Amino acid sequence: KANLKPAGAETTLLDADLLIWTAGATSTNTRRGILNSILPRDEKGRLVTGRLMRVRDTENVFAVGDCARASKVPYAATAQVAIQQAPVAAWNVFATLMNKSGQRDKSGNEYQLLPFEYLNLGEMMTLGSDDATLSSLGGLIQLSGPAASVARRLIYAVRMPTVRQGVTAAIESTERRVLSIPARQDKRRGKAIKWK
């Protein structure tokens, strides 16, 4: 059950087995989104969680991404962190629901909640439409320029939730980059190429 109290409205009791709220980051000077919550927050307004991604002083509330603070030193507010936190939180929600309903795993034990462990995979940054920089493996791999731009787009394609989304992202972003290079080179010589 969840109590919902919109600003200026009556409290509504919502009877639900599972409630997913995607609040995201908000400005710290307005009482909107996560800042309007009674859940424990740090000085920047992020929900305080532990390694299980469970909000402090709760049994069934989990938070991920830039609205959550899962460690003493906050993780960067990046997609990389949120993407790694999401499956841990999803499993922990599942385990919590299964344990609450009395269900057990194949060994007859309660489902174990998983701790979050962040793995820094490096950084990628777009520097315009055909330029990027990326660094990974502690600086062992470093790319910049158009090659980094294509690599960055392909890495994002691989990280898509479904194969179909990944293939679509890879084809569309790479095709635009590859097909635009000859057109730009030819325009410099005064000839325009018309792609069909």
Side-chain angles (χ1 to χ4, degrees):
K1 297 187 189 273
N3 286 318
L4 304 176
K5 184 168 178 15
E10 302 257 337
T11 300
T12 303
L13 181 62
L14 181 63
D15 189 17
D17 292 325
L18 179 64
L19 174 65
I20 298 175
W21 177 28
T22 56
T26 60
S27 171
T28 57
N29 60 0
T30 59
R31 303 252 334 142
R32 294 178 19 198
I34 206 73
L35 294 177
N36 200 32
S37 167
I38 62 169
L39 296 170
R41 296 182 308 271
D42 68 4
E43 66 281 351
K44 301 256 183 177
R46 295 171 293 215
L47 293 175
V48 178
T49 72
R51 293 182 60 218
L52 301 176
M53 304 310 304
R54 184 170 42 201
V55 175
R56 189 180 66 204
D57 301 329
T58 69
E59 289 297 316
N60 59 356
V61 178
F62 298 84
V64 301
D66 45 63
C67 75
R69 180 175 178 169
S71 67
K72 207 172 221 182
V73 176
Y75 298 114
T78 65
Q80 179 183 167
V81 174
I83 287 170
Q84 290 182 36
Q85 288 174 333
V88 173
W91 172 263
N92 289 347
V93 167
F94 168 78
T96 300
L97 291 172
M98 297 305 283
N99 292 340
K100 184 178 178 185
S101 69
Q103 305 241 1
R104 299 295 179 248
D105 66 15
K106 291 179 183 177
S107 304
N109 300 317
E110 280 196 341
Y111 286 88
Q112 294 299 306
L113 277 65
L114 301 174
F116 174 68
E117 294 287 335
Y118 176 61
L119 175 61
N120 187 344
L121 299 173
E123 299 175 351
M124 300 187 300
M125 182 172 52
T126 300
L127 302 169
S129 61
D130 297 324
D131 200 5
T133 181
L134 64 90
S135 174
S136 187
L137 300 175
L140 186 62
I141 297 175
Q142 293 189 5
L143 283 174
S144 62
S149 181
V150 171
R152 179 186 166 279
R153 284 166 172 54
L154 291 175
I155 289 167
Y156 272 114
V158 169
R159 297 299 305 237
M160 288 290 173
T162 68
V163 173
R164 184 176 182 172
Q165 289 172 318
V167 169
T168 301
I171 290 172
E172 287 181 358
S173 65
T174 306
E175 180 181 46
R176 270 186 267 130
R177 299 302 175 272
V178 171
L179 293 179
S180 66
I181 291 169
R184 261 186 255 120
Q185 289 172 346
D186 212 37
K187 281 181 184 175
R188 286 186 224 132
R189 288 184 243 136
K191 301 176 199 168
I193 293 178
K194 293 183 181 178
W195 296 95
K196 294 184 180 184

